[in-house]
Amino acid sequence: MATFLYKLGRFAFRRRGLVTLLWVLIVCGVGAAASAAPAPPTEQFSMPGTESQKAFDLLEKKFPAASADGATARMVIRAPEGKKIADEKAAIGELVGELGRAPQVAGVADPFAARSISADGRTAYAVVTYKVTAPDLTDKAHDALTAAADRARDGGLTVEAGGDAVAVDAAMSGTGEQIGVLLSALVLFLTFGSLIAAGMPLLTALIGVGVGTSAIAALGSTLGLSATTSTLAMMIGLAVGIDYALFVVSRYRAEIAEGHEPAEAAGRATGTAGSAVVFAGLTVIIALAGLAVVDIPVLTKMGLAAAGTVAVAVLIAVTFVPALLGFAPRRVLRVADRHLVKVKKPLSARKQARSEAKAAKLAARTKPNLATRWAAFVVRRPLGVLLLAVVGLGALALPATKLELGLPGEGTMATDTTQRKAYDLLSDSFGPGFNGPLTVTVEGRDAAAAGDEVGAALKKTAGVDSVSAATPNKAGDTAILSVVPKTGPTDATTEQLVKDIRAKATSLKASAGATEILVTGQTALFIDFSETLSDALLPYLGLVVGLAFLLLILVFRSILVPLKAALGFLLSVSAALGAVVAVFQWGWAKDVFGIEQPGPIMTTMPIFMIGVVFGLAMDYEVFLVTRMREAYVHGASAKDAVVTGFRHSGRVVAAAALIMISVFSGFVVEVNDLVKMMGFGLASAVLFDAFVVRMVIVPAVHSLLGDAAWWLPKWLDRLLPNVDVEGEKLQQRLRPATARVPQSRSEHEQDLVH
């Protein structure tokens, strides 16, 4: 692997014009394909194998008109204080008429005709049905809905709107993302001391994300990839793209510092750091593609699309980055270090000995860098440091044992949004369960009679507030009932009610003469979604960690190193989940983060955190431990290898982690609580994994294990192919052929270009 990538890096450096032209053609070609492709399809959310999905499919077949996927809006109207809805009949009639004349509206249900008025007579609602789906609504349609509500408010009514036809307020201001990118650029500049070196990872990462997202857009209509599919791809592609380019550029500067010519340095950097990039990328791809085991199509598509974008980032790191280095072989160095590439000939033996003696004296007087000093400290006190780190992460993980999962809805929106106000008005006037009714489908020869029998039985069920009359289809073989729970959609009692109704289905079928009874609706769908994700969490974790464990055995040729990597990841992700629970579920420091309403954690949060954080964690593990392995293979003792690995990679790994923390932390300043949650969780996980697990636990464990860390059974060693990530074979191949240009540089001076 290292030898192949060495040749590839040299080729890209020497043929930089050709390689750059190829990438320009790829960018232009994919961009042209994306612009010419049909609009991406609307996301069709489905969960194969669940009762909710089975019922939805039945409704689509038996009630095609009722199951039409046009957008809807529910206008909630409350009369002024001291008045009833009946007193405002004329004003409400004007509102209904104006809504009916709005663009793309199919019809409006008048609250007086539909009898959608609360028991106290003060609140009513009108349902607006549109001819098109929510994503296809025009700005004129949204503006007409808003204008009608505003005019009714001017007349003294309280009017709020909910439903998928209501435009969601743009909570993402973009300020947080801009702050994250600016902080990333600052970290890169402080790390490299060169604007070009700092800009190169950002540029290549943006190109990689552009290629990936354009490919998703180009294939959207063919593969059924909606616009939302690219969300995860953009986030992960940017993250790993910066990391991978950062490590290749950093290694190139280190090779230059050791006296190699630029083309040779590019080849060696691609052969060594590039090998780590390839295998780190494979771990991320495994984690993202593994989302397919959840068996939810939207998650599978998002995972595969993001995995494809990561693959593009890897290709760019090992081809385009060395090509760009060819255009600026000196400018990626600090100004004070650019004279290094001017040396073309080896020094004489006398000058070389004099130079090395001078360097040794200077090194003796030079203070080691921070990473070296930290690694040396941990090596001297490994047990105490290890215990402190493990206990600290364990304490942070304790709140995760009380994790409560849920899905976002209008009830979790900010209290100043019209959707949340409409939700609260309906809950106050019609009961908490009104916002989350259950739809019960009844199949049978005489579905109407069977539906009435089922409805009568459901009215006696604990937790049921009301049951509508059974509505049969034209064929008379299927009927639907609407069941309103006494509790809200996210209440645990409602979830238990769904389970109770499903448990009674068998006995109800026998007594009512039905052939099938199914429970669906948005509330039941959310419950099934949460249950599906919960059931898939452990298999997904086992698959991802297991495959990555095998891959890391291949990379490090060790049993204990991959085991330590996996256990460390579990510690960091558990601590991050604990922090998320403490802040967003329990409300600790909620004022600091601007959280208006603590509540259940988003159902997708744990599985996304596992996938994203596992990939990034293995990146840091591979880049850091590969340097240790490289030093160990080349003759260093186990403890010296730890210090050497940190001297060369500690600062760069810390910089990569700070970049990711900066990007993810930017989302914390956004208004939307769910966006805050994702940003906070990912930033916390990277912080714990990079600076506690990789920087504390990893060197401590390696110091305690010593040579045993690199133990591999002989029979397994013979079976495994030698992928040579650390470049041992490459070094043997190059040693007699490549003349090394010695430089009188101290360890401190070398650290300036790492």
Side-chain angles (χ1 to χ4, degrees):
M1 174 65 76
T3 302
F4 168 76
L5 291 176
Y6 165 80
K7 294 177 181 179
L8 181 63
R10 282 182 64 92
F11 173 83
F13 187 93
R14 292 179 180 276
R15 299 287 187 268
R16 47 191 172 271
L18 175 62
V19 173
T20 302
L21 177 61
L22 288 175
W23 276 107
V24 169
L25 291 175
I26 290 173
V27 171
C28 293
V30 176
S35 61
T42 303
E43 186 66 72
Q44 298 294 325
F45 185 82
S46 63
M47 293 190 301
T50 63
E51 181 170 325
S52 294
Q53 188 61 47
K54 185 178 180 181
F56 271 123
D57 294 341
L58 176 67
L59 289 173
E60 189 174 22
K61 180 181 178 181
K62 301 293 186 178
F63 294 85
S67 61
D69 56 359
T72 60
R74 191 156 54 181
M75 303 293 289
V76 185
I77 309 154
R78 175 166 285 183
E81 192 68 34
K83 291 187 177 183
K84 302 287 186 178
I85 285 294
D87 301 331
E88 304 292 336
K89 190 170 184 178
I92 293 173
E94 291 181 9
L95 172 63
V96 170
E98 186 174 354
L99 291 171
R101 295 188 297 271
Q104 298 179 297
V105 170
V108 183
D110 186 287
F112 294 101
R115 298 182 179 179
S116 51
I117 301 174
S118 63
D120 61 4
R122 291 204 58 228
T123 307
Y125 63 90
V127 178
V128 186
T129 306
Y130 288 83
K131 300 174 183 177
V132 297
T133 59
D136 296 325
L137 287 174
T138 62
D139 290 339
K140 289 184 178 180
H142 288 303
D143 292 342
L145 185 70
T146 303
D150 288 341
R151 272 188 281 274
R153 292 187 188 107
D154 293 339
L157 295 173
T158 298
V159 181
E160 304 296 344
D164 61 348
V166 182
V168 177
D169 295 335
M172 290 292 291
S173 64
T175 303
E177 293 176 343
Q178 295 169 10
I179 293 173
V181 171
L182 289 175
L183 288 175
S184 301
L186 178 62
V187 172
L188 285 168
F189 178 73
L190 293 176
T191 301
F192 287 136
S194 163
L195 285 175
I196 291 181
M200 198 174 290
L202 288 174
L203 173 64
T204 54
L206 290 173
I207 291 174
V209 169
V211 171
T213 54
S214 296
I216 293 170
L219 297 172
S221 59
T222 303
L223 302 180
L225 305 176
S226 70
T228 59
T229 306
S230 61
T231 303
L232 186 63
M234 291 178 63
M235 181 174 64
I236 304 304
L238 183 63
V240 300
I242 294 175
D243 273 5
Y244 296 164
L246 169 66
F247 280 99
V248 173
V249 173
S250 177
R251 187 60 184 257
Y252 170 81
R253 287 157 55 103
E255 295 294 339
I256 288 290
E258 292 182 4
H260 297 294
E261 234 195 316
E264 179 68 14
R268 287 173 177 261
T270 309
T272 51
S275 296
V277 163
V278 169
F279 283 94
L282 284 175
T283 62
V284 182
I285 290 171
I286 288 172
L288 294 171
L291 287 171
V293 304
V294 182
D295 198 25
I296 296 178
V298 62
L299 296 184
T300 300
K301 292 175 183 178
M302 290 180 69
L304 293 177
T309 306
V310 172
V312 172
V314 172
L315 288 175
I316 285 179
V318 298
T319 57
F320 194 32
V321 170
L324 290 180
L325 289 171
F327 289 108
R330 296 177 56 196
R331 290 176 180 262
V332 296
L333 303 176
R334 296 177 189 267
V335 175
D337 300 319
R338 290 177 184 173
H339 70 280
L340 291 171
V341 297
K342 296 180 181 179
V343 180
K344 299 294 184 182
K345 298 179 181 179
L347 301 175
S348 66
R350 177 177 294 181
K351 289 183 178 180
Q352 177 178 341
R354 193 178 302 162
S355 176
E356 290 176 350
K358 182 179 178 181
K361 291 180 181 179
L362 185 57
R365 300 195 303 267
T366 304
K367 188 178 181 180
N369 67 1
L370 179 60
T372 304
R373 297 197 303 274
W374 170 252
F377 171 80
V378 175
V379 166
R380 290 194 302 270
R381 301 171 180 83
L383 186 58
V385 171
L386 176 63
L387 290 176
L388 182 63
V390 171
V391 170
L393 289 179
L396 288 170
L398 285 177
T401 60
K402 304 296 183 181
L403 176 67
E404 296 178 6
L405 298 176
L407 282 173
E410 293 181 346
T412 61
M413 289 185 174
T415 54
D416 59 349
T417 61
T418 186
Q419 293 95 328
R420 176 61 184 276
K421 291 177 181 178
Y423 181 96
D424 291 341
L425 283 172
L426 290 172
S427 294
D428 292 342
S429 301
F430 295 90
F434 187 81
N435 284 295
L438 307 175
T439 300
V440 178
T441 65
V442 181
E443 286 187 278
R445 183 172 298 177
D446 186 356
D452 289 338
E453 289 287 338
V454 171
L458 291 179
K459 288 179 181 179
K460 302 175 183 177
T461 303
V464 172
D465 184 61
S466 64
V467 180
S468 69
T471 303
N473 64 344
K474 290 182 179 180
D477 58 0
T478 307
I480 56 175
L481 303 93
S482 180
V483 179
V484 178
K486 291 182 178 179
T487 50
T490 60
D491 197 292
T493 306
T494 304
E495 180 178 352
Q496 186 59 47
L497 174 62
V498 172
K499 294 179 180 178
D500 291 343
I501 295 175
R502 288 172 173 172
K504 292 180 179 179
T506 302
S507 60
L508 286 175
K509 282 191 295 184
S511 61
T515 58
E516 187 77 273
I517 298 176
L518 302 172
V519 181
T520 187
Q522 188 179 56
T523 300
L525 180 67
F526 281 6
I527 291 170
D528 287 346
F529 182 73
S530 298
E531 187 174 343
T532 299
L533 282 179
S534 298
D535 292 343
L537 189 59
L538 287 180
Y540 172 70
L541 184 62
L543 175 69
V544 169
V545 174
L547 290 178
F549 183 84
L550 296 176
L551 185 63
L552 292 177
I553 288 178
L554 188 65
V555 172
F556 295 124
R557 309 194 74 77
S558 164
I559 297 293
L560 297 180
V561 171
L563 180 62
K564 169 220 60 184
L567 293 177
F569 156 73
L570 292 176
L571 267 177
S572 59
V573 80
S574 298
L577 278 174
V580 169
V581 169
V583 173
F584 290 89
Q585 183 176 309
W586 294 352
W588 292 6
K590 66 177 183 178
D591 294 335
V592 175
F593 295 100
I595 301 167
E596 294 187 7
Q597 181 183 357
I601 305 303
M602 185 169 56
T603 303
T604 54
M605 187 74 180
I607 205 160
F608 272 136
M609 277 189 65
I610 288 172
V612 175
V613 177
F614 184 81
L616 295 176
M618 293 306 103
D619 279 358
Y620 304 143
E621 176 76 13
V622 169
F623 289 125
L624 187 61
V625 180
T626 296
R627 270 292 195 161
M628 297 182 193
R629 167 88 179 158
E630 185 177 339
Y632 183 77
V633 168
H634 293 158
S637 67
K639 291 188 177 181
D640 289 342
V642 172
V643 178
T644 301
F646 268 76
R647 184 173 72 245
H648 290 293
S649 294
R651 184 181 183 186
V652 182
V653 168
L658 286 174
I659 289 169
M660 292 305 99
I661 293 170
S662 300
V663 172
F664 294 141
S665 295
F667 294 106
V668 179
V669 304
E670 298 292 348
V671 176
N672 190 298
D673 281 355
L674 300 177
V675 177
K676 288 178 184 290
M677 189 184 301
M678 287 295 294
F680 177 83
L682 292 175
S684 300
V686 172
L687 174 67
F688 297 148
D689 194 89
F691 292 102
V692 180
V693 174
R694 309 304 153 191
M695 295 292 183
V696 179
I697 294 178
V698 166
V701 170
H702 276 265
S703 299
L704 291 171
L705 293 176
D707 293 331
W710 309 108
W711 172 80
L712 184 70
K714 291 183 179 180
W715 63 269
L716 185 56
D717 188 39
R718 290 191 297 268
L719 289 176
L720 292 177
N722 189 355
V723 294
D724 192 30
V725 175
E726 68 279 351
E728 181 183 7
K729 291 184 178 179
L730 177 62
Q731 293 288 350
Q732 293 174 355
R733 178 180 179 274
L734 296 176
R735 192 173 292 120
T738 305
R740 183 184 184 277
V741 183
Q743 296 294 319
S744 58
R745 293 187 57 82
S746 68
E747 177 183 277
H748 174 69
E749 290 174 318
Q750 290 181 29
D751 288 330
L752 292 176
V753 296
H754 288 336

